[in-house]
Amino acid sequence: MIDKLDGQQEPKVEILDINDHVQESSDPVVPHERQIIDDIIAIWKEDPSSESLGVPKLHAKVKSRHPTWSVSEKRVRTLLKTYGLITTNQQFTYANEIHSRIVSSIELPPKVKVTMTAKRGKGLYAKTQIRKGDLIWEERPLFFVPALANVKLVRTGRACAYCAKLLTQRSSTGLSALRGLDCNVCPELWCSKDCKTLDTLHAKLKHNMSSHSNGKGSNLIDASGFIALEDYCFQEQWNALYAITLIYAEMQADKTRTKAEYFSSMARVSQKVRYKAINSSAGSFDTMQGGALFVMEQQEALWNEGYQKFLKVFPSAHDQVPFEEFMMMMGTYNINNLDSCIFLTQSHLNHSCHPNTDVQASTASRTGPLKVFAARDIKAGEELTTSYVNPSHTLHQRQRELRVNWGFICSCQRCKDEAKEHHRRKSSNGMGAKEVPSNIREMLKDTKSAIGNSEIELEIPTVQGGERRKSVRFDEHVISVNQ
């Protein structure tokens, strides 16, 4: 007891928290389903290996991160299924909705041929034996799409008007004009004569309204509409809309219609179908409820807004490109592009998690040729494959990314082997596992029994009443006296 001093106030007793730690409320909180899903995705991003965790361990991680959350293991499992985050046979896939065809006019490399099969669809196969390290082919982009992030720099002459490569201060001054790499109408510059030659759409897209013939009449491109669409894509970071606008402009400018023929022969699927896989549940997007439907409504509004801006660039495209074809173009671009560009021969390669080719982009320039090498010896008649995803990712990571972005569950030999190994480990972990002792006394008994020594004693400090003695150092609170 602290005595009250003469002429002084009674000492004030204040409870302080060690390290000024502010305790969180211990009241249970029922989190929204989006909070749970976002936290699970955050766990996977922080530690990719955690994607292989089962629901019980994943639930334990969520609880350890949010002790006040009232969320059951059953709810976590249900949400993972609802949001398509558990790989099951019932999840939505759309491989059967992807269609492609063979175009005989395509000039293929000498060592390969294109074949259509019932199981794999269209693919490339080796005509002869190919040795490991051999260059199989190289190609430039059929459709080049510059970096959307640099469009503002392009307009002010600080990045190339075609490839969007950043220009040095020296190259963006009068030197470019002397080399003939500047535009006579706008401030834009090119980084090389090659880029200026390749940029056949510059005047049509960037200057006044212009027309060109495709053999079936005149088609107009509204330059002001393109600038508005470019600004919109930059603001929304919508690369696919930006890309298909450039692709359609190139197809319309091609009087031979060859580029349009090639693009339409690639694997085609509507972006609407692809979007279902993002929020699939038991094979049907219609089973989604609440927030997911609201997100879908927002997405459809965004697609319609993008379509209207697309039509302002191509005023005569209302009949040629209805909304469904617009969505088909977007889906086709998304499943065929490599580093934002479209390569004709490379787009024929099917996927394997253990590919036999090594696809290398140009290190000198994004407009440079793509080179495809043999990653190992390839037999004549063997299919050439590439990996659509990072091969170093776990089985669950690869399967989910392939299902969402390309619409199929991979069944390559590597995936089969890893699935068997995962099942074997899971089975072995659940068999013959001894129960972990629940307290120190039980652990002590087990130790005595194991070494055959009954004289081992371990002092367990106690106080009256059998409670464990606490150390002041580890108590949550201390008392300070302020006089």
Side-chain angles (χ1 to χ4, degrees):
M1 181 176 180
I2 302 176
D3 294 331
K4 184 176 180 180
L5 302 179
D6 292 339
Q8 294 183 351
Q9 294 182 349
E10 184 176 353
K12 182 179 179 181
V13 178
E14 180 182 359
I15 303 297
L16 300 179
D17 202 66
I18 290 180
N19 297 328
D20 294 329
H21 174 69
V22 179
Q23 285 188 313
E24 296 182 358
S25 173
S26 59
D27 295 335
V29 177
V30 179
H32 188 273
E33 62 182 44
R34 285 302 315 184
Q35 290 179 285
I36 299 172
I37 291 299
D38 289 345
D39 192 61
I40 290 173
I41 293 174
I43 291 172
W44 287 340
K45 286 183 177 180
E46 293 167 9
D47 180 13
S49 64
S50 64
E51 291 214 23
S52 60
L53 293 178
V55 175
K57 291 184 178 180
L58 191 58
H59 170 256
K61 272 188 170 290
V62 172
K63 288 290 292 181
S64 67
R65 288 161 62 97
H66 304 279
T68 61
W69 277 12
S70 177
V71 54
S72 65
E73 181 182 318
K74 181 179 179 181
R75 189 182 182 203
V76 170
R77 186 185 302 276
T78 300
L79 288 176
L80 288 172
K81 289 181 178 179
T82 300
Y83 282 84
L85 298 177
I86 293 182
T87 303
T88 66
N89 293 332
Q90 288 75 39
Q91 284 188 308
F92 180 82
T93 59
Y94 54 88
N96 61 338
E97 298 194 44
I98 299 177
H99 304 284
S100 63
R101 56 189 176 85
I102 296 177
V103 177
S104 58
S105 60
I106 295 178
E107 295 184 8
L108 293 171
K111 298 179 182 180
V112 303
K113 62 181 179 180
V114 60
T115 302
M116 184 78 73
T117 64
K119 186 176 181 180
R120 298 281 289 175
K122 186 171 65 175
L124 291 180
Y125 292 79
K127 293 172 66 175
T128 60
Q129 184 178 10
I130 304 173
R131 297 289 185 184
K132 178 181 178 180
D134 285 356
L135 175 65
I136 307 175
W137 81 84
E138 61 179 273
E139 61 177 321
R140 282 183 176 268
L142 175 66
F143 297 108
F144 177 78
V145 180
L148 179 60
N150 290 350
V151 295
K152 301 291 186 181
L153 299 176
V154 168
R155 293 181 189 174
T156 56
R158 290 180 290 172
C160 177
Y162 180 67
C163 71
K165 174 185 175 181
L166 296 180
L167 300 175
T168 63
Q169 184 176 2
R170 183 168 180 265
S171 63
S172 60
T173 57
L175 184 61
S176 294
L178 292 175
R179 296 167 58 193
L181 299 179
D182 63 324
C183 178
N184 296 328
V185 180
C186 67
E188 296 188 13
L189 306 171
W190 291 274
C191 67
S192 65
K193 291 182 179 180
D194 188 29
C195 277
K196 185 174 182 179
T197 302
L198 292 170
D199 195 2
T200 58
L201 295 176
H202 177 78
K204 298 179 177 67
L205 293 175
K206 301 295 181 69
H207 301 159
N208 295 326
M209 182 175 290
S210 58
S211 63
H212 56 276
S213 173
N214 68 349
K216 297 182 180 180
S218 295
N219 288 279
L220 298 177
I221 295 179
D222 189 330
S224 61
F226 176 76
I227 297 299
L229 179 138
E230 196 174 49
D231 287 336
Y232 176 74
C233 292
F234 178 81
Q235 178 183 343
E236 298 292 334
Q237 290 299 292
W238 195 353
N239 186 69
L241 175 59
Y242 180 57
I244 64 172
T245 302
L246 294 175
I247 289 172
Y248 187 73
E250 282 205 45
M251 291 192 300
Q252 293 301 302
D254 179 20
K255 296 180 180 180
T256 67
R257 305 295 295 165
T258 303
K259 288 189 174 183
E261 178 75 1
Y262 289 164
F263 186 69
S264 65
S265 71
M266 294 179 181
R268 284 169 57 83
V269 66
S270 173
Q271 183 63 17
K272 278 187 176 181
V273 174
R274 294 185 73 248
Y275 192 77
K276 291 180 184 179
I278 299 174
N279 293 303
S280 60
S281 171
S284 174
F285 180 81
D286 294 336
T287 60
M288 295 299 296
Q289 298 178 358
L293 284 177
F294 179 65
V295 171
M296 183 58 178
E297 291 174 0
Q298 289 180 318
Q299 187 62 54
E300 288 181 339
L302 186 69
W303 288 333
N304 280 296
E305 187 175 6
Y307 178 58
Q308 294 305 318
K309 292 187 179 297
F310 177 86
L311 292 179
K312 288 183 178 180
V313 181
F314 309 102
S316 61
H318 288 77
D319 297 329
Q320 299 176 13
V321 187
F323 180 72
E324 291 304 322
E325 177 59 24
F326 170 79
M327 296 302 294
M328 188 69 73
M329 289 176 61
M330 190 173 299
T332 301
Y333 168 77
N334 280 328
I335 65 173
N336 285 285
N337 83 85
L338 179 66
D339 192 22
S340 296
C341 301
I342 297 289
F343 294 87
L344 180 58
T345 306
Q346 181 273 337
S347 68
H348 289 71
L349 287 173
N350 283 325
H351 167 81
S352 171
C353 294
H354 185 50
N356 56 14
T357 67
D358 179 18
V359 179
Q360 297 182 6
S362 172
T363 56
S365 169
R366 289 188 68 238
T367 60
L370 181 82
K371 296 183 178 181
V372 180
F373 296 89
R376 57 178 182 270
D377 289 345
I378 302 174
K379 299 178 182 179
E382 183 180 349
E383 184 181 13
L384 275 60
T385 57
T386 186
S387 181
Y388 295 170
V389 297
N390 189 334
S392 65
H393 284 173
T394 65
L395 171 65
H396 294 287
Q397 283 178 298
R398 300 196 310 270
Q399 293 283 23
R400 188 173 66 252
E401 189 174 353
L402 289 168
R403 182 184 66 82
V404 170
N405 292 319
W406 288 275
F408 65 92
I409 303 295
C410 184
S411 59
C412 71
Q413 192 58 48
R414 178 187 172 188
C415 286
K416 291 178 180 178
D417 293 342
E418 290 184 10
K420 288 179 182 178
E421 178 63 19
H422 177 73
H423 180 72
R424 186 193 65 78
R425 288 199 307 266
K426 188 175 181 181
S427 299
S428 62
N429 289 339
M431 295 175 58
K434 294 183 66 177
E435 185 177 351
V436 179
S438 59
N439 56 49
I440 296 176
R441 296 185 189 279
E442 291 181 9
M443 292 176 65
L444 182 58
K445 290 180 182 179
D446 290 345
T447 304
K448 288 180 179 180
S449 175
I451 65 176
N453 187 348
S454 60
E455 297 181 357
I456 295 178
E457 294 295 339
L458 177 64
E459 180 184 358
I460 302 176
T462 59
V463 294
Q464 188 175 2
E467 294 183 359
R468 183 175 177 180
R469 185 173 68 240
K470 292 184 178 180
S471 166
V472 173
R473 181 178 179 182
F474 296 106
D475 283 347
E476 294 182 356
H477 300 91
V478 295
I479 297 178
S480 69
V481 179
N482 297 328
Q483 297 186 359

